[in-house]
Every structure is written in structure tokens, then in C-alpha cells.
Amino acid sequence: MDKRIALVTGASRGIGAAIATVLAQDGFDLWLNYRSNHEAAERVKNEIEQTNAQCRLLPFDVSDSEATLSVLDPLIEKETPYVLVNNAGFTRDMLMIWMNQNDWKDVLSVTLDGFFQVTRAVIKGMLTKRRGRIINIVSTSGQSGMAGQVNYSAAKAGLIGATKALAAEVAKRNVLVNAVSPGFIETEMIKDIPKEKVLPMIPMQRFGTPEEVAAAVRFLCSDQASYITGQIIAVNGGVYM
Ligand code: NAP
């Protein structure tokens, strides 16, 4: 069997970098997407190559349809990833009353247009080959709703709906679609949140690590997860049950 490829979006740092690293350890070659942090992406690539996996850096903005297709189309003509992890995401937090239309649109676009464009590019090949795993990184905010994050909560709730609908569409072709829903994970994304206010809300009384999220993704990409589809797996220390 040809070597399996995993495409991970937003993988230059944080949770995406941790996911790419464990998938390389599991024998996948990586297509590693990110937007602009070339130095950080090079560091992840070097780490991945130490595991004897190959790593191709694919810088593009997932919310930009032309940029996405100009990078992915030529690759997909030749090879189909076995795994796609839609991880790219960002926040622009503020109360709804202060939120302008760009704050709303940009957060929705990276999460939802990004999911649509990247997934649509690879899914035809997965369906033809009758194999594939798609994992969408959502958030507790999309399950419980979070004050100050109306845009982000809407985006992630939308991605949960898309996960379930797509899972139902493609299950009969052995393409499995699930979501992993992190709580508060120690990355740059949460560097500005007031820790002393948040920690008491978390039953486990600590933040999670990118590696703890990556472990759930790793399982969903493994042969052991062959009968799991349409599910939302929470990795959140009990903050939402
Ligand atoms: P992070 O540390 O801020 O890293 C974000 C990554 O996404 C970077 O690699 C960044 O690339 C990339 N990215 C951002 N916008 C992009 C775009 N338009 N196109 C392509 N790549 C883009 O974030 P993280 O904490 O690891 O979050 C990863 C995922 O987990 C996100 O979907 C996030 O919503 C979700 N999540 C995080 C938490 C948390 O507490 N950290 C909780 C729940 C869910 P560049 O650096 O090159 O721009």
C-alpha cells in the first residue's frame, strides 16, 4: 500500500503542530498548511523529518478559495490524503455590541469557508478510493456558547453541524468524519485570557496541552477508530459535559 498522507491545516504551531507531529510518528507523510509563520512551520517540518516522515509545507490562507485551490489542485491530481484535519482557526473576541461586520465575517470565513474549500478539494479522491478520515477541530465554545465569542461560537457550532451532515453523506464510501472539541488548551490563542477567572470553571483545575488534543485526533486517524463517524469527542478537562 502507498504511504499514507495527512493534510493538517493551521499546523505551524499550537494544536495543529502537535497533531502533525504525532501523525508523523504514526507513519504518515505530512502536507502541512499554515498562513504566514514560515519560521515556525520550518521548525515543525524539521521535527517531523526526524521521524523519517516526509513533510511538504503548504502556506495558504484557507479562507481564500483561489489560494487554496492553486496549491492543492496540482497535488491532488497525483495523490489523495488519507487524513484531513481541518484545524486552522482564529479568534477575534469582543462583545456583540462592539463587534463589526469584518470581525464576524473573518472568523466565520476561516472556520467555515476554510472547511468547505479544503474538504471539497480532497473529498472526491477519498470517495473514489473508498477510504479517508476527516477530523474537524471545533471548540467547547461551539457547544456551550461563550460570552465575548458570538462569532467564534457560531463558526464552531456551524462546523459541528457540517461534521455530522458530511459524515452522513460519505459513510457508505468508508470516509469517516468526526470532530474533536478542545476546551482551554495552552497555546497562543488563549494567551490573553484571565487565567485566575477561568481555572475555577474547569473541573480538572488546569488547562489542557496541545498533545492531549493531538492524542484524540491520532486515535480517530487510527485503524482502531474504524466504526466511529459523526461524533464530537471533547478534550476539555470536564468544562462542558
Ligand atoms: P494557534 O496557536 O493560534 O495556531 C493557529 C494556527 O492556525 C497557526 O498555525 C496559524 O498559522 C493557522 N492559521 C490561522 N489562520 C489561518 C488561515 N486563515 N489559513 C491557514 N492557517 C491559518 O491556535 P490553536 O490554539 O493551536 O488552535 C488550533 C485550533 O483549535 C483552532 O481551530 C482553534 O479554534 C481550536 N481550539 C483551540 C482552543 C485553545 O484553547 N487553544 C480551544 C478550542 C478550540 P500562522 O501562524 O502561519 O498564521
Side-chain angles (χ1 to χ4, degrees):
M1 200 197 280
D2 51 335
K3 200 160 180 213
R4 290 177 171 185
I5 294 164
L7 165 56
V8 184
T9 68
S12 57
R13 51 201 169 85
I15 293 170
I19 292 169
T21 305
V22 293
L23 293 182
Q25 288 163 5
D26 285 353
F28 287 93
D29 283 337
L30 265 297
W31 290 359
L32 195 135
N33 159 260
Y34 60 103
R35 186 175 42 189
S36 55
N37 196 334
H38 304 296
E39 246 175 67
E42 284 289 349
R43 278 197 295 275
V44 181
K45 177 179 159 80
N46 286 341
E47 199 169 322
I48 283 170
E49 286 175 343
Q50 304 204 346
T51 63
N52 285 330
Q54 289 182 12
C55 180
R56 203 188 274 262
L57 294 183
L58 307 177
F60 60 86
D61 180 339
V62 296
S63 67
D64 179 338
S65 152
E66 254 179 58
T68 302
L69 295 182
S70 71
V71 173
L72 288 183
D73 274 352
L75 296 174
I76 275 152
E77 265 176 33
K78 297 187 205 115
E79 293 170 295
T80 301
Y82 175 73
V83 164
L84 164 62
V85 184
N86 286 302
N87 167 78
F90 85 119
T91 51
R92 205 172 283 156
D93 297 353
M94 68 193 73
L95 295 176
M96 175 90 176
I97 194 163
W98 306 117
M99 193 176 285
N100 67 39
Q101 206 167 13
N102 285 341
D103 300 326
W104 170 257
K105 278 191 179 164
D106 291 351
V107 170
L108 258 72
S109 183
V110 172
T111 300
L112 293 176
D113 297 339
F115 157 79
F116 176 77
Q117 274 140 203
V118 179
T119 305
R120 194 147 181 276
V122 302
I123 200 157
K124 195 171 168 206
M126 289 181 173
L127 293 172
T128 306
K129 290 192 169 219
R130 293 178 178 267
R131 59 173 216 183
R133 304 282 171 93
I134 297 173
I135 292 102
N136 298 322
I137 307 302
V138 297
S139 170
T140 306
S141 303
Q143 296 179 288
S144 66
M146 188 74 73
Q149 291 195 314
V150 168
N151 47 3
Y152 183 75
S153 300
K156 294 297 191 180
L159 190 52
I160 288 172
T163 300
K164 294 179 182 180
L166 184 62
E169 281 185 19
V170 298
K172 59 183 174 299
R173 292 274 183 141
N174 196 33
V175 177
L176 309 184
V177 187
N178 292 288
V180 169
S181 183
F184 293 95
I185 308 299
E186 286 196 69
T187 70
E188 279 175 50
M189 186 172 272
I190 66 159
K191 68 181 187 319
D192 295 328
I193 66 160
K195 295 196 172 173
E196 65 292 347
K197 279 198 190 148
V198 171
L199 277 176
M201 292 159 41
I202 306 172
M204 285 187 71
Q205 298 279 292
R206 68 170 178 87
F207 295 134
T209 65
E211 290 71 27
E212 287 172 315
V213 179
V217 176
R218 173 184 228 169
F219 168 65
L220 289 171
C221 296
S222 73
D223 292 343
Q224 281 72 48
S226 53
Y227 199 54
I228 301 176
T229 197
Q231 304 306 308
I232 317 301
I233 314 283
V235 181
N236 67 17
V239 77
Y240 177 76
M241 300 183 186

